Structure formats: C-alpha cells, structure tokens
Amino acid sequence: MAQQISIPKGTRDFGPAEMNKRNFIFKTIQSVFNKYGYSPIETPAMENLSTLMGKYGDEGDKLLFKILNSGDYTVNVKPEDFNSQNLSKITGSISEKGLKYDLTVPFARFVVQHRNEISFPFKRYQIQPVWRADKPQKGRYREFYQCDVDVIGSNSLLNEFELMQIIDDIFSELKINVTIKINNRKILSGIAEAVGEADKFMAITVAIDKIDKIGTEKVCEELRKNELSEDAVQKLIPILENKRDTSGSIEFLENMLSASETGLKGIEEIKTVFEYLNSNPLKTKVELDLSLARGLNYYTGAIFEVKANDIEIGSICGGGRYDNLTEIFGLKDISGVGVSFGADRIYDVMEQLKAFPEATAKSSDVLFVNFGKKEEAVCLKLAKTLRQNGISCEVYPEKAKLDKQFKYANNKNISYVAIIGENELNAETVTIKNMAEGKQENILFSELSGYFNSQL
Amino acid sequence: MAQQISIPKGTRDFGPAEMNKRNFIFKTIQSVFNKYGYSPIETPAMENLSTLMGKYGDEGDKLLFKILNSGDYTVNVKPEDFNSQNLSKITGSISEKGLKYDLTVPFARFVVQHRNEISFPFKRYQIQPVWRADKPQKGRYREFYQCDVDVIGSNSLLNEFELMQIIDDIFSELKINVTIKINNRKILSGIAEAVGEADKFMAITVAIDKIDKIGTEKVCEELRKNELSEDAVQKLIPILENKRDTSGSIEFLENMLSASETGLKGIEEIKTVFEYLNSNPLKTKVELDLSLARGLNYYTGAIFEVKANDIEIGSICGGGRYDNLTEIFGLKDISGVGVSFGADRIYDVMEQLKAFPEATAKSSDVLFVNFGKKEEAVCLKLAKTLRQNGISCEVYPEKAKLDKQFKYANNKNISYVAIIGENELNAETVTIKNMAEGKQENILFSELSGYFNSQL
C-alpha cells in the first residue's frame, strides 16, 4: 500500500551530485587539518541530557531534540505532573538523551572524560552532523554538518595564528575570496570598563554582535534598553563605527583602554597575532574589527569571523579562544582555541561562484555498453584491467538499446563510452566516445589502459 | 560545578587512533565502490515514524529510538490514554520522528521519493550510522555504521557477480582472508515446496538461518515447533548437512527440485552466477551453501554472506536480491540487489589480525620543537614550505622542556622530530631525529623538503 513519502522538515537527502560536491569541501578541509597535525575524533549523535542541558541558554534547551526512553517510559511520570502539564518535569521523566546541538560541548565532555588518554596540547578536528529544532527556513536546517578544529591545553597565541593559516589555506584551495576579521574579548571587556559599564559586558557583546544585521542606531537602542547610560552609548559609537586600519585601531585602543588591565592584555594579544601575520603573511586579508563580538558567551580571548568577499552571506567560519569550557565538566585551567567551518554556507557560496571543480560532477570514467553475452564477457575482462589501473568503470548490466545506454552515461556524467560490437570484437579494438567532445577513436584492447591513463 | 560525565550506554567516542583505523576501512570500501561506478548518497538521521514503523517487525518497532515532538508535545495526549498507560497511543501523540534503524528502508524511501531524478539502474552506496535500542553487549552497539552498496532497477545477474567482485576487491585490499557464501531464496522456496511445506517457507528460512549458531538438532527442534511434519524435517536434514561441492550441490538440487518451477529458476540463477565466476575467477573462495538463509524477509533471489576464515566471528558482510522493497512506498516492479559491510566487525577482525597498515597509527610526519621566539620564527617558515610539499607537520606551540616536546611527539606517533637550536640556527641546518629508528641527521634548511620527500 502506498504511503505518504517525505522526510522530517528541515532535513535533507543528498543525492550523488550534491554528495560529490559536499565531499570535495570536506576532503579539502580535512586534508588541510591533517597537514597541520590535527587528528580526527567522533562523538555519538546522542548525549545524555545532563551533558547538554543548560549549556546553550533557555532557548537552546528548547531546541534540543530529545529522545524518548526505551520500554515503558511512562512509569516515572507522576499523574499530577501530567495533569498540570508540567512540561519540564514530564520531559525529565520520559527522556534522558538528546541529539547533540553542536560539537563544542561534546568536545569539552570528551576532553574531560578522556583526559588521562589525551596528550596535551590536544589538536583535534571533528566533522559531524548536529541537530537543532529551529524553525526551518532558507539556509537553516534542523540537521547540518559542523567542521570544528580546536587545540586545547595551550595558551600560546601561536595557535591563534595557526588557525588563521588553516583558514587561509582552506579558502584558497576552495577558491573563495574571503576576509578574516579578528577581535579580542578582553578588548571588549576593556571597552565595557572604559565606558563605565563593566558589569554589562555580556549585554554590550550581544548588542554589538548584531551590528552587521541591524546597524549602529538599532544597536544603540538595544544598549539603552539594557540600561546603559547615554554617556556610555555615546562613547561606544566610535567603536561601532571605527574605520581605522589595524595600527590606527590599536593606537586608538591604547589610549582608550590605558586604565584597563584586561583591555591592555587584549591589545597585547592582538599585537602578538599581528606580529605573526607580518612575519608570515597570509594570502587572505586580515582585519582587526572592533565591532566583531560573537554571540557565544564562552569566549575569553581572540575571536574570529570569516566573510566571503564576493557574496552576500553571513560568516562562513568563526570561533575564538575559551578559557573555561571544560570547567562545566569539572576540569579547570585548560584553555583552548578553535574555529568552526560552516559547510552548508560554504557549499552555497561555491555554487554561486561556480567554484566546484568539474571533476566533482563526474561519476565513472568509462561505461562499457552491453550488446549481449559474447561482448559482455570481453567487456568484463577489460573493465577489470582498467580498475586495476585506477580507472573507474562500469559494464552496463544487461543488453539494452544503445540510446538507453548512452542516456545512462549522459545522466551519470560518465566521461567515456566504450563500444565493443561484432566488428570491434573481431578486430580486438574498442570504439571510444569522448562524451564531452563527441569525438570517437578506435583503440586496441591491449592499449586501453594506457589510453585512459593518458586521457584522465 | 563538576557533573557526572558519561555517554549513553551502547554508544562510543572515537579518539584519533581509532578514527584513523576506521577511516582506513571506510576509505578502502569507498574507493572500491567508486571504482565500480557506485555513487554516494546520504539520508537524514531522522525519518518520519510512518516511514520506519512496521518495516522491521514488532520487535524492530520497539528498538526504534523515537524523538519527542518539539514544543508542548503533551497537547495531543488524551488523559484516558495516559491513565490507562496506552503506550502506543501515547507514543503516537508525542513522537512523529525516529532515528534510522538501517540504511535499507531509508534507501527504498529515497528511491521512491526521488524516482524522477534518478537514472536507473541506480548504483548507490551509503556509509552512515544507524541506531537501535538493543541491549548493549560485547560487539553490539546502539549506534554503529553501516556501509551499504546496492544497484536498483536491473534484474541482471551481472549485478550479483559485480557485488562479489567488490567484496573480493575490498577484503583483498584490507588483507582479510574470507569465504563468500552464496545461496538463493528461490532454491529455499523450492526446497520448502519439495518437502511439502511450501506455506512454511519463512519459518523454514528463519530456522535454517540459525544453523551456524545452534546446529542441526536444534534447528530441527525449531522446525517441529513450527509444526513441520517429521517427514519434512527428515528431508531437510541432508540440506542442512550438505557437504557437496558446488557442482555436486547443483546436481543434487536439480533432482530434488525438478517439480518446483521456483526452485529450478533459483538453480538457473545460481548457475549463471557461477558461470560469471568461472570466466572471471575471484581471489576469494566462493561456496554455494544450501544452509545459508539470511534472517530478513525481503530477499527474493541471491543471498550472500562473507565469513573471515582465520577468526571466529559472525558474518562481516551480507546481503541479497529483493524484488519488492520499494513496493511498501508505492513503487512496484523494481528489483535490486545489495550488500552491507559491517564496519565494526571488520575493525575487530583487523585488530585481531594486526592487519592495519602502520601508517594508520601515525599523525603528523614532523614536529618542530620550540626553543623560543627566535627559533620558532624559522620553524614557522620551514613548516610552511614542508606543508606546501605535502608533508604534514606542526610547530610545538610554545617553548617547553625538550623531554616534554619529545613525549608529545611520541604519544602522537610523529615520525620525525626537527630540532633547531642556537647551533642549527647559525649553521642553517636542522637536526632530524627519526623517532622509530632513533638515528639523527643534520640537514640544510634548503634541503629539508627534498629530504622528507625521499624519506616519507
């Protein structure tokens, strides 16, 4: 009986064409990570809710996908909780696991749980899906991949520089023209002090983070709503609208933050990072952006964001340094820094820029058409030899009309069709059709591998 | 505050060492799939419960991980259902999505949903985790990967042969000595007819499937419990204990099944597959095993199972032909055949055989030790050049005691440690220590890439 067929909203199927492009992105990212000595880890899709809850704010808790306990999960529900619709109590009774919401909290959990097996500084990357019960909308999914790279257990700012090298290499290889924006949470903290609102640091950060989307005026409104003094708001405007170059910005900050120990520490850190950059210039432009804030509250030092220069889209990579991430799981004084690459947005940018290499569209190199048992037997032997020489190929699985077999090759974007009919069989040759150019050639059986090795 | 730290039972973290080995398996499998023209697809972790329920039997329905609806999921629960603990009604009201239980049903759903975009025969592979709320035990997990390869939309037995070529190539590359066992459901069906119990075909199949685990006597007991006549049971014993070689078995079957149209069709199919094998011999031994049955009820033709010869473990790969899989989603008359590789068991076998290549244990090729700012600056430039030449390397992120840095290199299994101190700086040389052999060499800065390219 036919059923209604669909997948949960906000999730996606990936067919061969999309998979090949996505794999191109993942492989590029992975190979750069490997080149810098980062190692892969994976954590389960499910985590205990005790690991996840309370780590992403109240809103985040609501966006966790929760998994129903197995067996008779109702036994622990108290009728009074059910009758009073006490949702959080009921949920606590019927669900103890959830799908992971990001890779950061599971990573912190991993580090603490395995701290005795890990050799620090621990350089790891992790490329896995995460799940959020967000309202699905264009470009926002309920299941999506994150590609995180972090080094934990080292305070050295060389790590910050290395992550920028990684960003530089990855986007160069993907042929996306980007700008890396950098700032420092200690500078933002110093600014909060300098405008006399040290205790409103997080509110200021959250407001500033929206500058790109809502502009200076609305950010100021939000600051006033958070009960910042008008004097403080006025002092923040030059920061929000700062157009100085890096050395100009640093000079400006050194004046403004001269009384803030934290602020001066932040300036020092930024200067060190730029020293690394000056001695080892990247291909990518790097900007000190004082209005860069990042929404997440665990950052304590450098923060990064990467924007595509030629495409109107949010940041395609971002991250920063965190000093206390593992503390929530009981492991103190272990600082880390990391960035996360947004595979879906990178995919969209590359589609718009037509930046995917042609090879990602291809499936097999060669299709042998099938004219019947006698010809098939020869094709099977030739196909075996080609595969041993690293050439991917298929034998059409049954005798079928020639145009059907060619249509199959066309749909699959197969580069060459190899035809062996009566004549070819007698002459021990293959007629090769180059599908892109349309031209045909006759090649001896014995020269087939050599032919394709020179063509592909 | 410290929390209790753990992951849900039956799930696993994979650290760098395990990941590198697992990736070696996945990459080997993938590259063989690609060589035969199979394309990757992915489906979401979550499927609608309407897609999953009823596809795996009652037991399977219970083993599905179900996801709590978002928001106030209790609104649809009727108090009378809650009070009477009507579990299936309550579940239906509070959950509409589940984690996928295997890759087969989502694949069938994918084919039907995307049938207008797919060009048939559709050769796809899929390597993704699946989830089952099974009781966790040694070697059985609640989250594990499946690696499925199928061709759907072609009846040709060339596909069966091609899958055996793929199995042959994969286990040869993984250096696991295996035997491929093959049988055919039509033969089993013919046997059920021949012993006069055609209507008990599935019961016979399920019982026979257990022969390896429980032996002939217990299988017979189970057959009697299923109300097979004693005459039928006696006639089945020679099948269960058949020790004939392939041609002997075929001759035996041709006599026994001479009156069964289905049985003769099955024999015909098996003979065709063995003709392919005889003209194109595999490196792997192939056996016709009349007691091979496979538990799943959707198989309708060839069935396969792969056993490791040198290790006591269940099958490490299995599959078969199914004629009606997409029918449950409304698409009739589309036959497919596929096999699934059990990555976890393959991993265990390779660990026992010590079959993983040494390279899977390694992380970076080179570690530059860090003696301070001046030396670090030079290391950064040399590391950049090495990476451009495809050599993975790291600069230790801060000045630290030499033995600490060497310990780091040791723990990470880094092949070479590169030392640049005061003397080396002046002489523009690097002292290279080969960590496996312990020997040291002095190499000029300018010859470093060439040196490693020749060593690695």
Side-chain angles (χ1 to χ4, degrees), chain A residues 382-392 448-450 453, chain B residues 35:
Chain A
L382 293 171
K384 188 176 170 183
T385 310
L386 291 189
R387 289 187 194 114
Q388 283 166 346
N389 284 282
I391 296 151
S392 71
L448 202 57
S449 291
N453 276 328
Chain B
K35 226 182 262 178

Side-chain angles (χ1 to χ4, degrees), chain A residues 27-39:
Chain A
K27 275 183 194 158
T28 304
I29 289 176
Q30 234 171 321
S31 85
V32 174
F33 290 166
N34 286 329
K35 226 182 264 177
Y36 283 81
Y38 289 76
S39 303

Side-chain angles (χ1 to χ4, degrees), chain A residues 1-3 5-8 11-16 19-20 23 34-37 39-48 50-51 55 65-68 70-74 77 79 82 85 87 90-91 94-95 97 99 109-110 112-114 119-123 131 133 142-143 145 153-156 158-159 161-162 165 276 279-281 327-330 363-364 370 373 376 380-381 384 387 391-398 408 411-412, chain B residues 1-3 5-8 11-16 19-20 23 34-37 39-48 50-51 55 65-68 70-74 77 79 82 85 87 90-91 94-95 97 99 109-110 112-114 119-123 131 133 142-143 145 153-156 158-159 161-162 165 276 279-281 327-330 363-364 370 373 376 380-381 384 387 391-398 408 411-412:
Chain A
M1 202 195 70
Q3 286 193 338
I5 307 156
S6 65
I7 49 176
T11 70
R12 291 165 290 172
D13 284 329
F14 297 111
M19 281 297 294
N20 287 334
N23 283 340
N34 286 329
K35 226 182 264 177
Y36 283 81
S39 303
I41 72 160
E42 279 185 15
T43 61
M46 300 186 274
E47 293 274 352
N48 292 322
S50 57
T51 299
K55 308 305 188 298
F65 280 109
K66 298 173 190 79
I67 291 161
L68 215 46
S70 302
D72 185 359
Y73 54 83
T74 61
V77 180
F82 178 76
Q85 305 257 338
L87 213 56
I90 301 174
T91 305
I94 66 177
S95 168
K97 293 183 286 293
L99 294 179
R109 194 264 313 142
F110 179 98
V112 178
Q113 192 172 330
H114 302 280
S119 112
F120 294 99
F122 182 44
K123 300 168 82 170
W131 294 268
R142 293 185 145 193
E143 173 180 66
Y145 270 75
S154 163
N155 295 305
S156 166
L158 181 52
N159 299 304
F161 169 65
E162 184 169 273
Q165 284 186 298
Y276 279 121
S279 326
N280 303 278
E327 202 174 319
I328 42 173
F329 299 113
S363 55
S364 308
N370 193 328
K373 286 289 159 197
E376 181 190 275
L380 283 176
K381 295 204 186 304
K384 188 176 170 183
R387 289 187 194 114
I391 296 151
S392 71
C393 60
E394 358 185 352
V395 179
Y396 196 83
E398 55 224 345
Y408 174 84
N411 286 341
K412 276 191 83 173
Chain B
M1 203 195 69
Q3 286 194 338
I5 308 155
S6 65
I7 49 177
T11 70
R12 290 166 291 172
D13 283 328
F14 297 110
M19 281 298 294
N20 287 333
N23 283 339
N34 286 329
K35 226 182 262 178
Y36 283 82
S39 303
I41 72 160
E42 279 186 14
T43 62
M46 301 186 273
E47 292 274 351
N48 292 322
S50 58
T51 300
K55 309 305 188 298
F65 279 110
K66 297 171 190 81
I67 291 160
L68 214 46
S70 303
D72 184 358
Y73 54 84
T74 61
V77 180
F82 178 75
Q85 304 256 342
L87 213 57
I90 300 174
T91 306
I94 66 177
S95 168
K97 292 183 288 292
L99 294 180
R109 193 265 311 143
F110 180 98
V112 178
Q113 191 172 331
H114 301 281
S119 112
F120 293 99
F122 182 44
K123 299 169 83 171
W131 294 268
R142 292 186 146 192
E143 173 180 68
Y145 270 75
S154 162
N155 295 306
S156 167
L158 181 53
N159 299 304
F161 170 65
E162 183 169 273
Q165 286 185 299
Y276 278 122
S279 328
N280 304 276
E327 203 175 318
I328 42 174
F329 299 113
S363 54
S364 307
N370 194 327
K373 285 289 159 197
E376 182 191 275
L380 283 175
K381 296 207 185 304
K384 187 176 171 183
R387 289 186 194 115
I391 297 151
S392 70
C393 60
E394 359 184 353
V395 178
Y396 197 83
E398 55 226 344
Y408 174 84
N411 287 340
K412 278 191 83 171

Side-chain angles (χ1 to χ4, degrees), chain B residues 319-348:
Chain B
R321 179 171 286 276
Y322 41 84
D323 284 337
N324 309 309
L325 197 59
T326 56
E327 203 175 318
I328 42 174
F329 299 113
L331 187 63
K332 280 189 183 178
D333 298 325
I334 175 159
S335 180
V337 57
V339 292
S340 182
F341 291 79
D344 287 296
R345 282 193 179 164
I346 292 173
Y347 184 100
D348 290 346

Side-chain angles (χ1 to χ4, degrees), chain A residues 53-115:
Chain A
M53 297 283 280
K55 308 305 188 298
Y56 307 105
D58 290 347
E59 201 44 42
D61 283 352
K62 281 187 203 142
L63 299 184
L64 291 170
F65 280 109
K66 298 173 190 79
I67 291 161
L68 215 46
N69 294 341
S70 302
D72 185 359
Y73 54 83
T74 61
V75 288
N76 295 319
V77 180
K78 295 195 185 115
E80 62 265 32
D81 289 336
F82 178 76
N83 293 327
S84 64
Q85 305 257 338
N86 188 330
L87 213 56
S88 86
K89 279 254 174 91
I90 301 174
T91 305
S93 315
I94 66 177
S95 168
E96 55 191 26
K97 293 183 286 293
L99 294 179
K100 64 177 174 246
Y101 181 89
D102 69 5
L103 303 179
T104 308
V105 168
F107 174 54
R109 194 264 313 142
F110 179 98
V111 168
V112 178
Q113 192 172 330
H114 302 280
R115 62 185 175 278

Side-chain angles (χ1 to χ4, degrees), chain B residues 86-365:
Chain B
N86 188 331
L87 213 57
S88 87
K89 278 255 175 91
I90 300 174
T91 306
S93 315
I94 66 177
S95 168
E96 56 190 26
K97 292 183 288 292
L99 294 180
K100 63 177 176 243
Y101 181 89
D102 68 4
L103 302 179
T104 308
V105 168
F107 174 53
R109 193 265 311 143
F110 180 98
V111 168
V112 178
Q113 191 172 331
H114 301 281
R115 62 186 176 276
N116 297 324
E117 307 140 41
I118 290 172
S119 112
F120 293 99
F122 182 44
K123 299 169 83 171
R124 88 84 172 81
Y125 66 87
Q126 192 168 356
I127 301 179
Q128 289 195 280
V130 300
W131 294 268
R132 296 181 187 179
D134 251 323
K135 249 196 186 44
Q137 57 186 62
K138 195 182 173 299
R140 191 195 282 165
Y141 305 101
R142 292 186 146 192
E143 173 180 68
F144 57 97
Y145 270 75
Q146 292 194 330
C147 312
D148 279 22
V149 59
D150 290 80
V151 48
I152 193 162
S154 162
N155 295 306
S156 167
L157 293 161
L158 181 53
N159 299 304
E160 270 82 341
F161 170 65
E162 183 169 273
L163 290 173
M164 294 168 86
Q165 286 185 299
I166 287 175
I167 292 169
D168 186 43
D169 284 0
I170 286 174
F171 289 110
S172 302
E173 285 193 28
L174 295 177
K175 305 205 189 315
I176 306 179
N177 186 4
V178 299
T179 300
I180 302 175
K181 299 187 169 204
I182 180 170
N183 198 5
N184 192 298
R185 276 288 173 90
K186 295 188 182 80
I187 290 177
L188 291 173
S189 173
I191 290 171
E193 274 181 54
V195 303
E197 300 278 10
D199 55 325
K200 300 224 171 69
F201 168 56
M202 270 318 296
I204 295 174
T205 301
V206 169
I208 292 185
D209 186 48
K210 299 177 184 163
I211 182 97
D212 272 3
K213 280 181 205 144
I214 62 176
T216 307
E217 210 153 310
K218 291 239 166 101
V219 168
C220 291
E221 258 175 52
E222 187 167 325
L223 290 169
R224 288 185 194 104
K225 256 187 224 150
N226 279 293
E227 299 183 357
L228 257 76
S229 71
E230 192 52 37
D231 178 54
V233 172
Q234 291 307 321
K235 280 184 181 153
L236 281 171
I237 292 177
I239 304 284
L240 295 173
E241 300 190 331
N242 175 50
K243 292 273 177 281
R244 296 172 186 83
D245 65 4
T246 299
S247 59
S249 294
I250 288 175
E251 207 175 306
F252 166 80
L253 288 172
E254 279 175 333
N255 278 318
M256 183 179 184
L257 309 184
S258 59
S260 160
E261 201 185 322
T262 310
L264 291 173
K265 183 84 186 0
I267 296 172
E268 207 44 53
E269 289 181 10
I270 279 287
K271 282 164 94 171
T272 304
V273 170
F274 274 97
E275 276 161 27
Y276 278 122
L277 289 167
N278 290 334
S279 328
N280 304 276
L282 305 183
K283 301 171 281 297
T284 302
K285 192 178 158 202
V286 181
E287 272 177 16
L288 172 57
D289 180 351
L290 302 185
S291 73
L292 174 66
R294 305 277 305 155
L296 292 166
N297 63 13
Y298 48 69
Y299 294 123
T300 51
I303 44 181
F304 306 100
E305 226 164 74
V306 180
K307 303 247 166 165
N309 292 337
D310 310 318
I311 300 279
E312 214 38 73
I313 202 166
S315 71
I316 54 179
C317 173
R321 179 171 286 276
Y322 41 84
D323 284 337
N324 309 309
L325 197 59
T326 56
E327 203 175 318
I328 42 174
F329 299 113
L331 187 63
K332 280 189 183 178
D333 298 325
I334 175 159
S335 180
V337 57
V339 292
S340 182
F341 291 79
D344 287 296
R345 282 193 179 164
I346 292 173
Y347 184 100
D348 290 346
V349 168
M350 291 184 68
E351 277 288 30
Q352 285 189 58
L353 294 173
K354 302 193 193 313
F356 286 109
E358 246 179 72
T360 57
K362 183 190 86 168
S363 54
S364 307
D365 297 320

